[in-house]
Amino acid sequence: SGHYGRTWHGSGKNKSKDLPRRGLGLHFVPAEVRFTKDARKSKLWRSYVPDKKKEDNGGDDVAICDDEDLMNVVLPEEDFPLVWKRPPESR
């Protein structure tokens, strides 16, 4: 089924004794979407957000990504392919 993402939805119990339930979810978000600091708390999103702490990496300092810098973190296209982009406004 296709529906708006904020629509509450679900399905009943899998009544099959020998067949697993299969599902596929596709999520479309605007190309200009950005992370917030709450992404660091999420098991799903935190691997895409640079660490806020400064760490030692074999003697080299890793860059710090403050909460304000998260607005500059772009979703990696290999995991989140761009399927459509709004054309530039005509003047």
Side-chain angles (χ1 to χ4, degrees), residues 35 37 40 52 65-73:
F35 289 109
K37 63 183 178 180
R40 288 192 173 104
K52 187 175 181 178
C65 183
D66 291 329
D67 292 342
E68 298 81 31
D69 294 333
L70 287 175
M71 293 303 293
N72 298 321
V73 175

Side-chain angles (χ1 to χ4, degrees), residues 45-62:
W45 298 114
R46 72 173 149 222
S47 63
Y48 295 102
V49 180
D51 200 0
K52 187 175 181 178
K53 301 175 199 162
K54 193 173 192 178
E55 296 180 2
D56 186 69
N57 185 14
D60 297 326
D61 289 332
V62 175

Side-chain angles (χ1 to χ4, degrees), residues 9-80:
H9 59 281
S11 57
K13 180 180 172 182
N14 184 3
K15 296 179 181 179
S16 172
K17 302 284 185 213
D18 57 352
L19 296 174
R21 175 168 290 169
R22 304 283 186 215
L24 173 67
L26 301 174
H27 301 266
F28 293 90
V29 297
E32 54 280 338
V33 72
R34 295 295 179 261
F35 289 109
T36 66
K37 63 183 178 180
D38 290 332
R40 288 192 173 104
K41 301 174 192 172
S42 166
K43 288 182 183 179
L44 177 65
W45 298 114
R46 72 173 149 222
S47 63
Y48 295 102
V49 180
D51 200 0
K52 187 175 181 178
K53 301 175 199 162
K54 193 173 192 178
E55 296 180 2
D56 186 69
N57 185 14
D60 297 326
D61 289 332
V62 175
I64 298 172
C65 183
D66 291 329
D67 292 342
E68 298 81 31
D69 294 333
L70 287 175
M71 293 303 293
N72 298 321
V73 175
V74 179
L75 293 171
E77 200 163 338
E78 61 271 10
D79 292 332
F80 304 95

